């Protein structure tokens, strides 16, 4: 009996010791293999009442909610491996999500970081897009400046310039006295076409001043594949007294060498003023006519306010309207299912929107 009791106690002791050792080994392996990994995300939804010129629709809209993981591994001698995997998530429609953890549709890459800067492969915002994103106080909402900037009404993919590109090689220089350079090349990966894209930007940020210049070329995307299109953009930002932020963007989009080539200028100004836990916002943008059609411009007006419940949670309200000229069809909004196009060219699009954003 004593032998049996001792045997049972011994088995229990061995089981506890083995389990403890296994847990320690798993914990050690986890820290070594994954390194410094961060899980993060954004939950963003709004309730919108939107008029497309023919009807008014009230809905709950997804505003680019996301989930991601990122991390680094120290390789020694100042060199690090870096990675990020980020996917869209749908808090509204569920099955309508455009991404998955194994099919990441947002910025996702792997590369190396060191004294030379960063070199990565994968999916990422173009430098052209990132060069002025911080100048839009209504980013990822129904008043997003992508209504005007990076877009030409009625010119298809050749006019889409504020994009996140797949199949890319990227280089980001280290910041030097406020200056930074970024470059991206996107391979078309299509044997029947040669529609590669390249994008570059230079930014300067020091104290209250921000400035950027950017350029992007789309090869063979104009004139039914016979001509290149390109974008050039200037961005300026200034912060007054740490409470008031001013922004200005000027952009030219054009097509080379076609009889029906488009060429259009646009500009955008923004204001954000913080009062305690509240931020008041206003913006105006104007897209001029493009050469392919008269009366093809549009105006964007937006006003709104945000109340910060904490550093990570905010509620907001806004009103935005796009006034289209008679031959224009500029949209309104941003996000997975928030974009609203006019019912017909020349129709205005407007929206009242209230929502909540939480970052984690």
């Amino acid at each position: 009996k004593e032998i049996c009791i001792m045997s049972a106690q011994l088995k229990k002791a061995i089981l506890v010791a083995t389990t403890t050792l296994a847990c320690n080994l798993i914990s050690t392996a986890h820290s070594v293999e994954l390194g410094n990994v961060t899980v993060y995300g954004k939950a963003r939804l709004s309730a919108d009442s939107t008029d497309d010129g023919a009807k008014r629709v009230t809905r709950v809209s997804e505003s680019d909610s996301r989930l991601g993981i990122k991390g680094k591994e120290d390789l020694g001698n100042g060199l690090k491996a870096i990675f990020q995997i980020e996917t869209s998530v749908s808090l509204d429609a569920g099955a309508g999500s455009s991404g998955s953890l194994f099919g990441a549709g947002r910025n996702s890459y792997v590369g190396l970081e060191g004294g030379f800067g960063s070199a990565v492969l994968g999916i990422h915002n173009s430098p052209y897009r990132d060069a002025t994103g911080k100048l839009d106080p209504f980013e990822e909402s129904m008043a997003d400046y992508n209504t005007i900037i990076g877009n030409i009404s009625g010119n298809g993919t050749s006019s889409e310039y504020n994009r996140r590109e797949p199949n890319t090689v990227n280089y980001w220089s280290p910041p030097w006295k406020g200056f930074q350079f970024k470059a991206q090349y996107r391979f078309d990966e299509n044997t029947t076409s040669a529609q590669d894209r390249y994008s570059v930007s230079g930014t300067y940020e020091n104290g209250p001043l921000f400035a950027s210049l950017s350029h992007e070329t789309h090869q063979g995307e104009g004139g039914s594949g016979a001509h290149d299109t390109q974008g050039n953009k200037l961005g300026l930002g200034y912060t007054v007294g740490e409470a008031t932020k001013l922004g200005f963007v000027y952009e030219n989009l054009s097509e080379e060498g076609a009889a029906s080539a488009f060429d259009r200028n646009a500009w955008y100004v923004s204001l954000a003023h913080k009062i305690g836990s509240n931020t008041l916002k206003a913006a105006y943008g104007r897209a001029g006519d493009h050469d392919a059609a008269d009366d093809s411009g549009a105006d964007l007006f937006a006003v709104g306010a945000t109340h910060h419940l904490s550093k990570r949670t905010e509620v907001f309200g806004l009103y935005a309207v796009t006034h289209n000229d008679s031959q224009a069809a500029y949209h309104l909004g941003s996000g997975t299912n928030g974009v609203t196009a006019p019912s017909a060219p020349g129709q205005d699009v407007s929206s009242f929107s209230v929502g909540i954003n939480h970052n984690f």
Side-chain angles (χ1 to χ4, degrees), residues 30-339:
H30 180 275
S31 64
V32 170
E33 293 179 2
L34 296 182
N36 182 21
V37 176
T38 301
V39 178
Y40 67 93
K42 293 185 178 183
R44 306 172 60 90
L45 285 173
S46 64
D48 312 322
S49 178
T50 302
D51 187 341
D52 67 359
K55 61 184 180 301
R56 178 169 291 278
V57 176
T58 302
R59 65 190 181 196
V60 173
S61 296
E62 182 69 57
S63 298
D64 289 327
S65 297
R66 69 206 66 169
L67 178 66
I69 57 174
K70 59 183 177 181
K72 297 182 180 182
E73 182 187 11
D74 192 342
L75 303 176
N77 298 317
L79 188 65
K80 296 179 181 179
I82 58 176
F83 81 93
Q84 177 171 303
I85 303 172
E86 185 175 294
T87 180
S88 297
V89 294
S90 178
L91 303 181
D92 178 23
S97 175
S98 61
S100 70
L101 287 177
F102 300 100
R106 298 184 61 85
N107 292 347
S108 302
Y109 57 82
V110 64
L112 297 173
E113 176 185 277
F116 62 88
S118 302
V120 305
L121 303 174
I123 306 169
H124 206 276
N125 293 348
S126 69
Y128 188 90
R129 173 177 176 167
D130 282 347
T132 56
K134 67 183 302 176
L135 302 176
D136 177 13
F138 294 101
E139 184 179 18
E140 297 176 345
S141 75
M142 289 302 293
D144 194 298
Y145 82 158
N146 284 334
T147 294
I148 298 295
I149 301 301
N151 179 38
I152 296 179
S153 170
N155 275 272
T157 59
S158 63
S159 66
E160 298 173 1
Y161 276 78
N162 280 340
R163 292 177 57 89
R164 180 179 301 110
E165 298 286 6
N167 312 319
T168 65
V169 178
N170 301 267
Y171 170 72
W172 311 321
S173 77
W176 178 76
K177 295 185 178 181
F179 292 95
Q180 187 176 31
F181 171 76
K182 293 183 178 182
Q184 179 187 84
Y185 197 94
R186 190 213 74 172
F187 297 96
D188 183 33
E189 296 189 353
N190 189 330
T191 58
T192 62
S193 64
Q195 294 183 334
D196 291 357
R197 296 178 176 179
Y198 63 84
S199 179
V200 294
S201 72
T203 59
Y204 174 76
E205 188 167 12
N206 190 1
L209 178 64
F210 172 81
S212 68
L213 287 172
S214 52
H215 170 84
E216 184 165 313
T217 290
H218 297 182
Q219 297 178 338
E221 293 191 33
S224 299
H227 307 285
D228 295 346
T229 68
Q230 62 182 10
N232 294 287
K233 188 168 56 169
L234 165 71
L236 295 171
Y238 196 81
T239 302
V240 181
E242 299 184 356
T244 303
K245 295 184 177 181
L246 305 173
F248 172 78
V249 179
Y250 170 79
E251 179 182 60
N252 173 261
L253 299 181
S254 62
E255 179 181 350
E256 300 174 351
S260 60
F262 62 80
D263 189 315
R264 86 101 174 90
N265 298 314
W267 57 276
Y268 174 87
V269 292
S270 63
L271 166 69
H273 180 65
K274 188 173 182 180
I275 306 174
S277 298
N278 303 298
T279 302
L280 306 179
K281 305 176 182 181
Y284 170 73
R286 170 64 187 174
D289 292 350
H290 58 78
D291 291 351
D294 294 331
D295 298 317
S296 54
D299 297 279
L300 167 69
F301 297 90
V303 292
T306 298
H307 177 67
H308 303 272
L309 299 170
S310 70
K311 290 184 178 180
R312 297 185 298 165
T313 305
E314 64 181 25
V315 291
F316 68 88
L318 65 85
Y319 172 76
V321 58
T322 301
H323 290 300
N324 282 300
D325 294 346
S326 61
Q327 300 301 313
Y330 284 87
H331 65 267
L332 191 67
S334 176
T336 306
N337 62 356
V339 176

